Amino acid sequence: MKRTWEFSLSIIGVSIAAIFLIVTIIAAVYLNSIDLKDMMDYSLMPDSEFSSSEVDMSIKLFMGLLWAGIISLFIALAGGLIAIFLLKGGKAKGAGILLIITGILTIFHVWPLIFFIVPGIMCLVRKQRETVEVIV
C-alpha cells in the first residue's frame, strides 16, 4: 500500500525539526557567548523588586529549557528519520508507533509535534484495501 501522505508529512516534520534545531543551536551558542547577567544587572533599576540571584536563576532556567529543546529536537530528528525508513520498508505499524512517540517527545515544539502525530495516527488507523477478484 502506498503511504504517500504519511511519508510526505513525516518528511515535512523532519525538515521542520532540522530547521528548528539549527536555529536553536545558533541561539544557544550566541546566548552562551554573551554575559546575560551583566546585561540584566545594568538594566535593572536600584529599586527593582528582582534580586541578582533571582535574575541569575531565571537565566539558568531559560538556558536549561533551551538545551532541553535541543535534546528533544535531536530525538525528533532521529525518530523521524527512522520512521521514514520504516515506512519505506513497509512496516507501517512500527513507523506509526515511532512517529507518535517522537511527536510526544517533541513537546517543546508545536509544528514538529503536529507533523509527527498526524502521520503516526494515519499509519495506525488506515487499513490496506482488499483486492476483489472478479470471475467472468
Side-chain angles (χ1 to χ4, degrees):
M1 170 185 233
K2 289 185 178 181
R3 299 221 175 238
T4 307
W5 282 102
E6 291 92 337
F7 185 70
S8 60
L9 287 174
S10 299
I11 288 178
I12 291 171
V14 166
S15 58
I16 288 174
I19 291 169
F20 281 7
L21 180 66
I22 291 169
V23 170
T24 309
I25 288 175
I26 290 171
V29 167
Y30 175 72
L31 290 176
N32 276 335
S33 68
I34 61 174
D35 193 13
L36 290 176
K37 189 174 183 307
D38 287 341
M39 292 175 67
M40 293 295 289
D41 284 342
Y42 290 124
S43 66
L44 292 174
M45 296 293 183
D47 58 343
S48 176
E49 57 195 46
F50 297 112
S51 68
S52 178
S53 64
E54 289 173 340
V55 170
D56 188 41
M57 187 171 51
S58 64
I59 290 171
K60 286 181 182 179
L61 175 71
F62 177 72
M63 292 303 289
L65 287 175
L66 192 66
W67 285 107
I70 289 173
I71 291 169
S72 74
L73 283 171
F74 269 123
I75 293 170
L77 204 58
L81 288 174
I82 292 170
I84 287 172
F85 288 123
L86 285 175
L87 269 174
K88 275 300 189 183
K91 297 176 174 66
K93 192 170 190 172
I97 292 170
L98 185 62
L99 282 170
I100 289 175
I101 291 171
T102 303
I104 291 170
L105 291 176
T106 58
I107 195 75
F108 294 112
H109 309 281
V110 175
W111 288 108
L113 182 135
I114 291 171
F115 283 109
F116 287 139
I117 295 285
V118 171
I121 293 172
M122 287 173 65
C123 284
L124 295 177
V125 172
R126 281 181 57 188
K127 302 289 183 200
Q128 189 170 0
R129 293 184 183 168
E130 297 178 12
T131 58
V132 178
E133 293 181 25
V134 178
I135 299 174
V136 181

